[in-house]
Amino acid sequence: MYTVAQLIGGVWGAGGEEGELVVHDPTDGSPVSSAPMATADVVGKAVEAAREVAAEWAGTAPAERAAALHRAADAVEAMSEELTAAVTAEMGKPLADARGGVEAGIGTLRQYAELAPMRGGRTLHGGHHAIDFMAPQPRGVVAAITPWNDPVAVSCGLLGAALVTGNVVLYKPSERTPATGWLLARALDQALPPGVLSLLTGAAETGAALAAQEVDLVAHVGSTETGRAIAAAAARTGAKVLLENGGSDPLIVDAGVDPVWAAGEAALGAFANAGQICVAVERIYAHRDVAEDFVAALVDRAKALRMGSGRDPATELGPLVDRQHRDRVHGQVTAAVAQGARIRTGGTLPDGPGAFYPATVVTDCRHEMPLVREETFGPVAPVVVVDSFSEALRCAADSPYGLGATVLTGSMSHAQRAWKELPVGTVKVNAVFGGAPGGAAHPRRGSGQGFGYGPELLDEFTATKAVHIEAPGGGHW
């Protein structure tokens, strides 16, 4: 069992005893980690301690900060197997997927270590007697509140970008993955000056206390409801907010595509990590010409997935993060059935321990059903049959969210229409996942605000200062 300690002001174990948070393995319900609960008073003291070292870290040369981030990546790599095991134990992700998330996090740290020293401001063409330029500067104290579904990759993105641009960071991992956050913070702390990174653990109350503090930027990846609460708190303090929140990403299956291939993409998007991915496929609009064959192939794919413990290398579908979440997912499925939908496979609560839920395909869905309109965050693929590509686009765009969308089509004109018309931050054509290194996204509406990942995230963690310098007395230099 992991026993987590907090890091405040460069001191491990700081913060005192404020209560205990216990996390249970979603495979069998056994306790796997315990962590202290940081109170609002402890959070306030952590912010004060971070503020004391902010100026020194901001004044460190960019190349020196980048070198520290490279060393941090080395330390995370050396701890990769421990991190992988912790992710699987705390939230159930299969080992191979958990390892992939750790490797992605290491790659992100190295990417930012390479990119950051090359960033600069820009000069402006003014008078001959003056110098005008715009320079990026660190924001100061950053609060990073991260999720449980891919805890290492997401945390490395936010922490790496914030640290390498000269900010000090207060890191609050999800209450469902505190040991993963603790291990990651231990690795990063090895390469950083004392106090530059702090670790605060606890439940929603701790996150709310952190968001309400006088910090300079709050970065949050998680639910839309929490994101809106953070934005409201930041509006009172003046902190900048970066949010990547909930989504209900559509998948469009156009007429003329290979239905078996399309089913493979849909299954990957809907069932990977048990559907617990921000950009998971949450709703499918299949053209009537291919819908029947597509659904048959998707059902076959769902039935073929091997459900089991994340520690078993043969597992393809691990448990959901906990039984409370499973009950919510199952409730959405049963409500859809009551509204006329049909379960083609899955949709039942397995016997035995753990938070397992089978890959589920639901047909006869209508666009207005909550199962289609709302975020499910589980291994559920609701299918809506449409009569045209225009209808599919219209339905896909009709959502309070704006994270991502996927279009499977053999038509270049349809692909062009899709990326231009869909009001989301990322449009993927003919692949549910993937993309070039350094790619970024800009979520919209209920899915958040600000760039996530890519070089643009470095810009988000800096403030731009315009500078005008004239020669004395209006003369020349």
Side-chain angles (χ1 to χ4, degrees):
M1 185 167 174
Y2 301 98
T3 302
V4 173
Q6 296 184 119
L7 173 63
I8 299 173
V11 179
W12 282 103
E17 296 295 329
E18 304 90 27
E20 183 184 36
L21 171 72
V22 178
V23 175
H24 296 85
D25 188 330
T27 299
D28 58 16
S30 62
V32 294
S33 56
S34 66
M37 303 271 282
T39 62
D41 181 60
V42 169
V43 171
K45 291 177 179 177
V47 173
E48 292 175 5
R51 188 71 68 184
E52 290 177 2
V53 300
E56 183 177 356
W57 181 242
T60 303
E64 187 175 337
R65 295 198 301 258
L69 197 62
H70 267 306
R71 293 193 299 273
D74 291 340
V76 175
E77 189 169 29
M79 200 179 282
S80 59
E81 287 307 307
E82 290 179 74
L83 282 163
T84 296
V87 171
T88 297
E90 289 192 308
M91 60 77 58
K93 188 190 290 278
L95 280 170
D97 291 347
R99 187 172 293 110
V102 174
E103 291 170 354
I106 295 166
T108 298
L109 293 176
R110 297 201 190 285
Q111 172 183 263
Y112 287 144
E114 294 294 330
L115 289 174
M118 295 186 291
R119 292 174 62 259
R122 61 187 178 94
T123 58
L124 307 175
H125 297 291
H128 294 296
H129 63 290
I131 299 171
D132 291 87
F133 60 92
M134 301 180 75
Q137 293 184 313
R139 293 244 167 210
V141 177
V142 169
I145 303 173
T146 61
W148 50 263
N149 62 315
D150 201 356
V152 177
V154 174
S155 295
C156 284
L158 294 180
L159 300 183
L163 290 165
V164 80
T165 49
N167 301 282
V168 295
V169 178
L170 298 148
Y171 172 37
K172 193 272 178 191
S174 168
E175 59 269 30
R176 287 167 167 164
T177 53
T180 303
W182 168 63
L183 290 171
L184 178 62
R186 280 175 49 194
L188 297 175
D189 183 53
Q190 296 176 31
L192 298 169
V196 170
L197 175 68
S198 295
L199 174 71
L200 294 165
T201 57
E205 295 80 6
T206 301
L210 181 55
Q213 285 290 323
E214 296 286 339
V215 298
D216 300 294
L217 186 150
V218 183
H220 170 255
V221 178
S223 72
T224 295
E225 181 182 3
T226 301
R228 286 173 174 162
I230 287 171
R236 292 189 287 270
T237 65
K240 178 179 177 177
V241 176
L242 291 180
L243 302 173
E244 186 195 303
N245 296 154
S248 182
D249 286 10
L251 169 72
I252 295 174
V253 182
D254 200 5
V257 302
D258 179 350
V260 176
W261 164 74
E265 289 294 317
L268 178 62
F271 305 140
N273 197 29
Q276 300 169 127
I277 302 176
C278 298
V279 291
V281 169
E282 297 264 354
R283 50 197 172 110
I284 300 170
Y285 301 99
H287 194 284
R288 192 173 300 278
D289 289 353
V290 297
E292 184 177 350
D293 291 339
F294 165 77
V295 168
L298 181 57
V299 169
D300 288 342
R301 291 272 186 165
K303 289 180 176 179
L305 290 175
R306 188 178 189 279
M307 186 165 61
S309 167
R311 296 183 181 87
D312 182 349
T315 291
E316 298 171 288
L317 184 69
L320 294 176
V321 69
D322 58 34
R323 286 203 165 198
Q324 181 180 2
H325 181 52
R326 184 181 73 169
D327 290 344
R328 191 180 71 82
V329 171
H330 186 58
Q332 287 181 295
V333 172
T334 55
V337 172
Q339 295 161 356
R342 176 187 172 198
I343 295 175
R344 296 292 296 270
T345 186
T348 58
L349 293 175
D351 295 330
F356 293 98
Y357 198 74
T360 300
V361 178
V362 186
T363 59
D364 299 340
C365 293
R366 300 184 304 278
H367 173 64
E368 64 271 15
M369 287 180 173
L371 181 66
V372 177
R373 301 276 301 166
E374 299 174 2
E375 184 177 40
T376 302
F377 223 59
V380 180
V383 181
V384 178
V385 176
V386 294
D387 292 310
S388 68
F389 187 74
S390 293
E391 181 186 356
L393 274 184
R394 186 168 59 253
C395 290
D398 179 26
S399 171
Y401 299 105
L403 201 53
T406 303
V407 178
L408 306 181
T409 181
S411 166
M412 180 57 76
S413 64
H414 284 181
Q416 293 278 18
R417 281 188 63 193
W419 77 257
K420 290 177 181 178
E421 296 179 21
L422 289 172
V424 299
T426 302
V427 176
K428 297 155 287 184
V429 179
N430 294 333
V432 294
F433 297 136
H442 198 296
R444 306 181 187 184
R445 297 182 290 182
S447 292
Q449 61 189 44
F451 276 103
Y453 314 105
E456 292 82 359
L457 186 57
L458 296 171
D459 296 329
E460 295 282 13
F461 281 108
T462 58
T464 300
K465 181 172 288 186
V467 181
H468 174 76
I469 304 175
E470 286 196 17
H476 297 280
W477 292 100

